[in-house]
């Protein structure tokens, strides 16, 4: 089996997907993103520099890498996300087709396209899915569409994402259905249980300490009209979209909008002193008919730090972020969890390496 494969990274952002694919033996030769801050972060952490700007302006450079082993990347997802406007005419949604243009131009042995779960399962995007797969097939690829939960692969975050994997028909014996089965089998063999968010934070240290210094100052106030759900960690007990995280469990999807009151909340006393959850107690109080509280929440509740968000996304502990604090949170929230990318990369590498899957031994 080959140990090293060449790759192109598109819509690279801060480089989370690249970390995972590089860890699994892919040598990234070209990277691109339009965000100059994310490009600077990428440059500080990878052996090549990200070509910053509109991808379409770099097609001549891309063509020089024709025949690369793998092309991977995640076109902007805001146009498809249930958290956004779900507008198919959103200019960012059109970049999905720019991604396929790059596939057609470079003719990689395989490609991996990442996006939000909604693109794979929402009936609103049926036409988009079918068109993407039709075009990929016309370019000579068998394809498999997967929805993966990062928490199944050691990431302490219940983050679900769609991945479309394509492999050149002329290289593989597999049909699209068989490719999906092989990838699922490879992925299943790599499943593992992640640590809890509380364990992760204890490992980093208290907010403000040397290893966990980039704190978020956004205040936490009680919601005037709480939205109650069965779980204390759903609904809305505090103002803003940043919901509390169960320290004994997993984070929900970290959004790119973190940095203000959309930054998730943790209970410092529960994590470091072993006291009972304040969020759980307040939720029980409300469910039992207790009065709604007002003003500032107790200081034991705080927003997660940049360092914690970075770790929840499974970035290396020495990863360097650039830009303002809000830009750091945005880069983290936009990233594919590194560990999820690494596991998927291993599965794709198996398909490209194992002679039982290939037409030519």
């Amino acid at each position: 089996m080959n140990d090293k494969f060449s790759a192109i990274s598109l819509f690279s952002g801060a480089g989370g997907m690249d970390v995972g694919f590089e860890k699994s033996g892919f040598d990234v030769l070209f990277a691109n993103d339009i965000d100059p801050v994310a490009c600077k972060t990428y440059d500080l952490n990878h052996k090549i520099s990200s070509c910053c700007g509109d991808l379409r302006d770099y097609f001549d450079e891309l063509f020089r890498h024709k025949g690369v082993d793998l092309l991977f990347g995640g076109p902007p997802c805001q146009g498809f996300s249930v958290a956004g406007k779900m507008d198919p005419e959103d200019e960012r949604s059109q970049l999905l087709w720019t991604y396929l243009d790059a596939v057609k131009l470079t003719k990689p042995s395989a490609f991996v396209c990442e996006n939000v779960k909604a693109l794979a399962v929402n009936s609103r995007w049926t036409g988009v899915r079918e068109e993407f797969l039709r075009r990929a097939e016309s370019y000579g690829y068998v394809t498999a569409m997967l929805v993966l939960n990062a928490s199944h692969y050691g990431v302490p975050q219940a983050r679900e994402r769609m991945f479309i994997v394509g492999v050149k028909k002329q290289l593989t014996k597999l049909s699209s259905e068989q490719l999906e089965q092989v990838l699922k089998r490879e992925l299943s063999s790599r499943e593992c249980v992640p640590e809890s968010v509380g364990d992760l934070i204890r490992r980093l240290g208290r907010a403000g300490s040397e290893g966990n210094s980039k704190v978020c100052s956004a205040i936490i106030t009680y919601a005037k009209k709480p939205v109650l759900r069965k779980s204390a960690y759903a609904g809305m007990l505090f103002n803003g979209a940043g919901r509390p995280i169960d320290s004994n469990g997993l984070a929900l999807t970290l959004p790119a909008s973190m940095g203000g009151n959309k930054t998730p909340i943790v209970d410092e006393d529960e994590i470091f002193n072993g006291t009972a959850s304040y969020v759980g107690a307040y939720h029980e109080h409300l469910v039992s008919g207790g009065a709604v509280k007002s003003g500032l929440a107790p200081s034991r509740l705080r927003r997660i730090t940049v360092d914690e968000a970075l770790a929840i996304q499974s970035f290396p502990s020495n990863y360097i972020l650039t830009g303002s604090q809000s830009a750091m949170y945005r880069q983290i929230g936009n990233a594919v969890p590194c560990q999820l990318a690494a596991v998927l990369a291993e599965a794709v590498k198996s398909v490209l390496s194992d002679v039982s899957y290939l037409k030519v031994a």
Side-chain angles (χ1 to χ4, degrees):
M1 292 177 66
N2 292 334
D3 292 323
K4 205 72 175 177
F5 295 87
S6 58
I8 289 171
S9 169
L10 304 183
F11 308 102
S12 311
M17 204 167 180
D18 297 61
V19 170
F21 274 81
E22 288 169 349
K23 179 181 177 182
S24 296
F26 287 88
D27 184 21
V28 178
L29 307 177
F30 174 93
N32 164 261
D33 200 83
I34 202 168
D35 180 354
V37 177
C39 289
K40 187 175 180 181
T41 291
Y42 189 99
D43 296 351
L44 288 174
N45 295 279
H46 298 267
K47 69 178 184 180
I48 66 168
S49 296
S50 180
C51 295
C52 200
D54 191 316
L55 172 61
R56 291 162 288 198
D57 294 336
Y58 288 98
F59 272 15
D60 286 345
E61 173 71 16
L62 269 180
F63 188 71
R64 297 192 187 103
H65 300 288
K66 183 179 178 181
V68 71
D69 292 317
L70 179 72
L71 184 151
F72 67 85
C77 62
Q78 292 88 343
F80 302 114
S81 174
V82 293
K85 295 182 179 179
M86 300 190 76
D87 179 8
E89 301 306 318
D90 188 314
E91 184 178 356
R92 294 167 295 186
S93 302
Q94 302 306 307
L95 292 172
L96 190 67
W97 311 122
T98 303
Y99 175 95
L100 272 181
D101 289 342
V103 170
K104 184 179 181 181
L105 179 71
T106 58
K107 295 179 170 56
S109 298
F111 69 81
V112 175
C113 181
E114 177 270 345
N115 216 281
V116 291
K117 176 185 177 181
L119 186 55
V121 302
N122 195 300
S123 60
R124 184 166 188 163
W125 305 125
T126 299
V128 175
R129 288 192 295 275
E130 291 176 348
E131 177 64 13
F132 187 100
L133 297 175
R134 186 197 66 76
R135 289 195 196 185
E137 182 180 5
S138 72
Y139 299 160
Y141 293 86
V142 294
T143 57
M145 181 180 291
L146 308 168
V147 174
L148 304 180
N149 189 321
S151 68
H152 295 169
Y153 306 98
V155 180
Q157 182 185 182
R159 188 185 191 98
E160 292 183 295
R161 283 296 183 270
M162 176 215 75
F163 295 90
I164 299 176
V165 179
V167 180
K168 268 187 177 178
K169 295 177 184 177
Q170 67 189 60
L171 294 178
T172 183
K173 301 174 183 177
L174 302 172
S175 65
S176 289
E177 293 77 13
Q178 291 168 331
L179 174 61
E180 180 180 341
Q181 292 169 5
V182 167
L183 289 171
K184 285 182 175 179
R185 185 168 64 245
E186 292 285 345
L187 289 162
S188 178
S189 70
R190 293 171 171 82
E191 290 186 0
C192 60
V193 178
E195 65 181 336
S196 69
V197 171
D199 284 342
L200 179 151
I201 293 175
R202 281 186 285 272
R203 181 163 51 79
L204 292 177
R206 290 182 179 273
S209 62
E210 184 178 353
N212 195 9
S213 61
K214 301 181 187 71
V215 300
C216 176
S217 59
I219 63 173
I220 302 170
T221 58
Y222 292 102
K224 293 181 179 179
K225 296 181 179 180
V227 178
L228 298 179
R229 296 288 185 264
K230 185 176 181 179
S231 168
Y233 301 95
M236 198 68 66
L237 304 183
F238 307 95
N239 285 334
R243 296 180 181 178
I245 297 173
D246 180 359
S247 65
N248 296 311
L250 307 172
L252 298 178
T253 299
L254 299 185
S257 56
M258 292 183 294
N261 65 10
K262 293 183 179 180
T263 311
I265 297 165
V266 290
D267 185 336
E268 184 100 348
D269 281 3
E270 180 188 18
I271 292 171
F272 288 100
N273 300 329
T275 56
S277 166
Y278 182 86
V279 173
Y282 182 51
H283 177 263
E284 185 176 350
H285 165 79
L286 293 175
V287 169
S288 301
V292 174
K293 296 184 179 182
S294 62
L296 290 173
S299 59
R300 62 186 285 183
L301 300 184
R302 62 167 177 82
R303 309 285 178 179
I304 63 170
T305 68
V306 170
D307 305 277
E308 290 161 358
L310 198 67
I312 289 171
Q313 282 279 60
S314 64
F315 275 90
S317 60
N318 62 348
Y319 211 77
I320 303 169
L321 293 171
T322 61
S324 65
Q325 187 176 92
S326 61
M328 291 180 181
Y329 277 115
R330 183 182 71 248
Q331 292 170 75
I332 295 168
N334 278 331
V336 173
C338 304
Q339 176 60 20
L340 175 60
V343 170
L344 180 58
E346 288 288 345
V348 173
K349 189 168 71 169
S350 294
V351 174
L352 293 177
S353 302
D354 194 326
V355 294
S356 64
Y357 303 140
L358 300 174
K359 285 184 178 177
V360 180

